[in-house]
Amino acid sequence: MMKDLSQFSLEGKTAWITGASYGIGFNIAKAFVQAGAKMIVFNNTSEASLQKAMESYREAGISNVKGYVCDVTDEHAVKELVKKIHEEVGQIDILVNNAGIIKRVPMHEMTRAEFQQVVDIDLVGPFICASAVLPEMMERREGKIINICSMMSELGRETVSAYAAAKGGLKMLTRNICSEYGEYNIQCNAIGPGYIATPQTAPLREPQADGSRHPFDAFICAKTPAGRWLNPEELGGPAVFLASHASDAVNGHVLYVDGGILAYIGKQPK
Ligand code: NAP
Ligand code: GCO
């Protein structure tokens, strides 16, 4: 039985988690606080969501948190935010590139603008945010960057062409940051969540107009060995691992937290 778990501790660390108003980012923030993080910083797209998020953090008993409205695609705003974090909070030890959107549109019907918006937020945003924190991490010769990838970093499906392209690119961006900055003792890894019950996937789980089960809901449960959607809380442990010194020798890795979807052909229909 391992007695000393200190390598998994985030004691004294400050984490910036983009898009941590709710969903996966919020639950990663909670796990980081439980692991001893000194401060959580997050950003999102609106004052209204920021206030709602701060209330959620208060309800969760988390007070060591600061939120800012900042669009991850706005390079100037992100650079200003990092300056503000340095002034108001201090160094950023961990960056989690979590903010993301999806548009479910058949590719031949998707406009260029729609495709661009998804790629901008899901791929260019992580580039902008990681580029903003790397200089400080390089100077300190220490840092953790965790990108939130997806099943769509490995698999395609109808209507999510932009999202799959972005998340596939994010997997390679993860590997390239590892390659370029490993010598500075910076580890860049990714988490590839399976199908998680958050607002982003709510449309795939809502009952049909006639009250019947959403077909995609049944599909995902058949594709997941445990036969269920995963909960956002289940990403906390893997995120703590990749944010802690326990993963100092792990770099460029995508840790799939998918309940086994990628390993499973799917349950045979009855
Ligand atoms: P979500 O519930 O839709 O939350 C998305 C968060 O990102 C919100 O806080 C949102 O801000 C923020 N955001 C969106 N665009 C932004 C921008 N331009 N700048 C700053 N913040 C922005 O999503 P989720 O399900 O928690 O997913 C989080 C991440 O995991 C995403 O990258 C998603 O692609 C990925 N993922 C999700 C699943 C899943 O099954 N849910 C599976 C694999 C990967 P507001 O608060 O202002 O709305
Ligand atoms: C979809 C879902 C997925 C999940 C996730 C799976 O429409 O297929 O939204 O993309 O969000 O990315 O890992």
Side-chain angles (χ1 to χ4, degrees):
M1 168 69 180
M2 185 188 274
K3 291 269 190 287
D4 178 7
L5 295 175
S6 59
Q7 62 177 319
F8 293 92
S9 168
L10 300 184
E11 205 70 42
K13 303 288 187 185
T14 292
W16 171 27
I17 308 173
T18 67
S21 317
Y22 44 84
I24 289 174
F26 179 81
N27 283 279
I28 288 177
K30 281 203 298 188
F32 281 10
V33 169
Q34 285 159 3
K38 178 179 71 174
M39 179 59 78
I40 300 294
V41 176
F42 74 95
N43 62 298
N44 63 12
T45 64
S46 72
E47 189 58 37
S49 185
L50 179 59
Q51 292 314 316
K52 205 169 166 203
M54 291 307 288
E55 183 52 34
S56 301
Y57 281 104
R58 271 191 294 275
E59 282 166 8
I62 296 174
S63 56
N64 51 332
V65 58
K66 284 179 85 69
Y68 303 86
V69 176
C70 177
D71 182 334
V72 294
T73 66
D74 182 337
E75 189 171 19
H76 176 71
V78 166
K79 285 182 177 171
E80 287 304 301
L81 172 60
V82 168
K83 271 191 212 153
K84 187 177 279 192
I85 295 170
H86 287 161
E87 286 158 12
E88 295 180 4
V89 177
Q91 70 187 41
I92 298 169
D93 301 292
I94 304 153
L95 165 64
V96 180
N97 276 314
N98 167 76
I101 67 165
I102 191 167
K103 287 185 184 300
R104 302 180 182 98
V105 178
M107 189 170 131
H108 67 286
E109 294 172 9
M110 182 178 268
T111 66
R112 187 198 188 287
E114 288 171 322
F115 189 93
Q116 190 71 54
Q117 186 189 11
V118 174
V119 170
D120 281 349
I121 294 170
D122 294 7
L123 178 57
V124 179
F127 155 76
I128 289 172
C129 295
S131 300
V133 300
L134 277 166
E136 170 212 345
M137 290 182 174
M138 289 164 73
E139 201 175 313
R140 283 192 292 109
R141 301 193 73 81
E142 188 174 36
K144 296 282 187 180
I145 298 174
I146 302 170
N147 296 321
I148 305 298
C149 282
S150 161
M151 294 287 93
M152 273 65 221
S153 298
E154 301 293 345
L155 304 170
R157 85 172 185 85
E158 299 79 5
T159 77
V160 297
S161 59
Y163 185 81
K167 293 297 187 179
L170 188 56
K171 173 173 75 171
M172 284 314 303
L173 182 64
T174 301
R175 291 180 178 165
N176 214 78
I177 294 171
C178 149
S179 307
E180 194 165 0
Y181 298 98
E183 68 177 286
Y184 296 95
N185 186 33
I186 295 167
Q187 290 84 46
C188 180
N189 293 290
I191 287 174
Y195 279 81
I196 317 295
T198 72
Q200 192 241 51
T201 56
L204 305 174
R205 289 177 277 111
E206 278 156 7
Q208 303 290 275
D210 63 3
S212 64
R213 188 181 185 188
H214 194 299
F216 198 89
D217 178 7
F219 170 68
I220 286 305
C221 290
K223 289 289 284 180
T224 307
R228 64 176 176 85
W229 287 74
L230 302 183
N231 299 311
E233 296 83 0
E234 294 178 283
L235 294 165
V240 167
F241 166 63
L242 291 178
S244 71
H245 288 303
S247 63
D248 283 355
V250 179
N251 212 349
H253 184 70
V254 182
L255 177 56
Y256 285 102
V257 185
D258 66 353
I261 290 175
L262 287 178
Y264 185 40
I265 196 171
K267 191 174 293 303
Q268 180 181 344
K270 288 188 176 62

